[in-house]
Amino acid sequence: MNHTSVAVAAVALAAITGLGTARAATAGDVEAPSACRPANHLAKITRDRASSGRVHFRVTLTAPKGYAPCKLVGSPTDVAFANHGSPLDVRVGRYGGQTTVVTFGPGHPVHFDICVPNNGHGTPTDEASFTLRAPAGEIPGTSVAEGHFEVTTGTAIGPIQPGA
C-alpha cells in the first residue's frame, strides 16, 4: 500500500468513526465529544425543597472528564416519565426564563426543576426522559435521569441553571 492509499484510508476511517458524535475543539487542537450529547453525561433526580403547594425534584446533569463544555438554554423539551419501564401519561408545561445560556461540562454541573403540584394525586415515578436545548436548537437524542419522584397533572419543568 502506498502513502496516498494509507492517507485516504486514515481519513475515511476518521470520518466513519466520527459519525454521530458532536465534537468541539479543545486545547491543543485535540477534539473531545460534547458533554451535551445524551451518551456523554449523567443525570440524577433527587427531592428538593418544597414550596407553597408544590413539591420540587432536582434533575442534576454532570459530565465526566474528557468531554468538551457546551451551552444549554431554557427548559428541556419532549419530557416523558416512566415507572419501572411503563410510560406515564402526564403532560408537562414549563416555567421561568427560557433565554439564559448556561455552560455545561466537566466541573460545571447544571440542573433543572420538576415542579409538581402537591394535590395528593402524585403518581410514583422513577425515570424522566428529555431533550436538551442549545442556543441554536434542540440537541439530538434523548437524555434519561433516574430517581424516586412523583408527577401529576400540572407538572412543570424549569429552565437549566448552573450548579448541582
Side-chain angles (χ1 to χ4, degrees):
M1 197 182 261
N2 64 35
H3 294 289
T4 303
S5 298
V6 170
V8 169
V11 169
L13 181 59
I16 290 169
T17 59
L19 288 177
T21 60
R23 297 207 174 255
T26 60
D29 289 79
V30 175
E31 292 190 6
S34 170
C36 284
R37 296 293 298 224
N40 302 340
H41 59 257
L42 306 171
K44 181 180 174 183
I45 303 169
T46 56
R47 189 176 188 104
D48 205 353
R49 83 255 177 258
S51 64
S52 180
R54 300 204 170 263
V55 179
H56 297 268
F57 298 93
R58 181 177 286 219
V59 180
T60 302
L61 281 67
T62 57
K65 290 180 181 178
Y67 294 101
C70 52
K71 304 288 185 188
L72 295 172
V73 65
S75 300
T77 62
D78 301 326
V79 178
F81 303 109
N83 192 36
H84 299 294
S86 297
L88 301 176
D89 186 23
V90 176
R91 300 190 200 294
V92 299
R94 56 184 180 184
Y95 74 89
Q98 300 295 312
T99 59
T100 301
V101 177
V102 176
T103 299
F104 170 57
H108 298 282
V110 296
H111 71 275
F112 65 89
D113 180 43
I114 300 174
C115 180
V116 182
N118 191 4
N119 60 13
H121 300 324
T123 300
T125 308
D126 62 10
E127 180 181 286
S129 60
F130 49 91
T131 301
L132 296 171
R133 295 174 42 219
E138 290 185 348
I139 294 169
T142 301
S143 295
V144 176
E146 294 180 340
H148 297 287
F149 64 111
E150 61 186 46
V151 294
T152 189
T153 301
T155 297
I157 305 300
I160 295 283
Q161 298 178 41

